[in-house]
């Protein structure tokens, strides 16, 4: 499993744990489904994506917005590949949902909102831990709140929303 946060340039540590088997191999009649090679590929692609995300953040801090945008796109592409590699491993939680959350966050940064929605939906279709599930739902709201309000003729005032949140936290 991969533990940790996939966002903010933090790298995840890998613990290879074979938990699911099929019949018919030299391992006493059992074949591991989750191969070490796939985990190595996931780990390497994820590391590349996080290195790119960190480089994009640095470029943005330095005011190089075009480079930041290009490198963010590369990070999103890599992390999307990682998410696709683990998407069908429903029992690979929290790894699966963390990687999908990371890819969705990068998608949002790139303005790829439909891709982010798909990644969030895939992550929630598994069995993510409650905290990660809530973060995924928050990302979904972040993407869709403004368009929802606009469709219904409502205005969105970020300052009033911030004040409302602060009032709720103070209560």
């Amino acid at each position: 499993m991969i533990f940790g946060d996939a966002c903010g340039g933090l790298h995840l540590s890998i613990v290879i744990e074979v938990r699911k088997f099929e019949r018919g191999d030299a391992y006493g009649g059992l074949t591991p489904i989750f191969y070490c090679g796939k985990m190595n590929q996931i780990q390497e692609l994820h590391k590349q994506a996080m290195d790119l995300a960190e480089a994009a953040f640095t470029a943005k801090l330095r005011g190089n917005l075009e480079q930041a945008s290009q490198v963010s796109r590369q990070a999103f592409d890599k992390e999307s590949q990682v998410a696709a590699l683990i998407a069908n491993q429903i029992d690979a939680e929290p790894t699966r949902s963390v990687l999908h959350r990371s890819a969705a966050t990068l998608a949002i940064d790139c303005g790829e909102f439909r891709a982010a929605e798909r990644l969030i939906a895939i992550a929630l279709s598994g069995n993510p831990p409650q905290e990660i599930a809530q973060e995924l739902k928050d990302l979904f709201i972040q993407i869709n709140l403004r368009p929802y309000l606009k469709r219904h003729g409502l205005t969105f005032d970020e300052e009033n929303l911030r004040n409302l949140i602060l009032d709720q936290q103070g209560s």
Side-chain angles (χ1 to χ4, degrees), residues 62-161:
R62 292 184 177 152
N64 192 340
L65 301 181
E66 187 170 326
Q67 180 186 12
S69 177
Q70 291 172 351
V71 177
S72 287
R73 169 68 58 178
Q74 292 171 353
F76 165 58
D77 291 343
K78 294 268 186 202
E79 198 72 344
S80 292
Q81 291 174 33
V82 173
L85 285 171
I86 201 164
N88 294 325
Q89 298 292 331
I90 301 295
D91 63 334
E93 294 293 354
T95 304
R96 181 180 175 277
S97 54
V98 168
L99 291 172
H100 278 80
R101 180 191 61 196
S102 175
T105 300
L106 290 167
I108 292 167
D109 290 345
C110 293
E112 296 287 341
F113 302 117
R114 292 291 295 149
E117 286 177 338
R118 283 190 296 275
L119 289 159
I120 291 166
I122 292 168
L124 290 171
S125 72
N127 190 25
Q130 187 62 36
E131 182 179 331
I132 295 170
Q134 189 57 53
E135 291 172 7
L136 288 160
K137 292 172 186 175
D138 289 348
L139 281 176
F140 188 82
I141 291 169
Q142 177 185 335
I143 295 167
N144 289 291
L145 179 60
R146 194 177 314 260
Y148 173 83
L149 293 173
K150 186 177 180 181
R151 279 192 314 273
H152 289 83
L154 302 170
T155 58
F156 183 77
D157 184 349
E158 286 187 49
E159 187 63 32
N160 283 342
L161 182 60

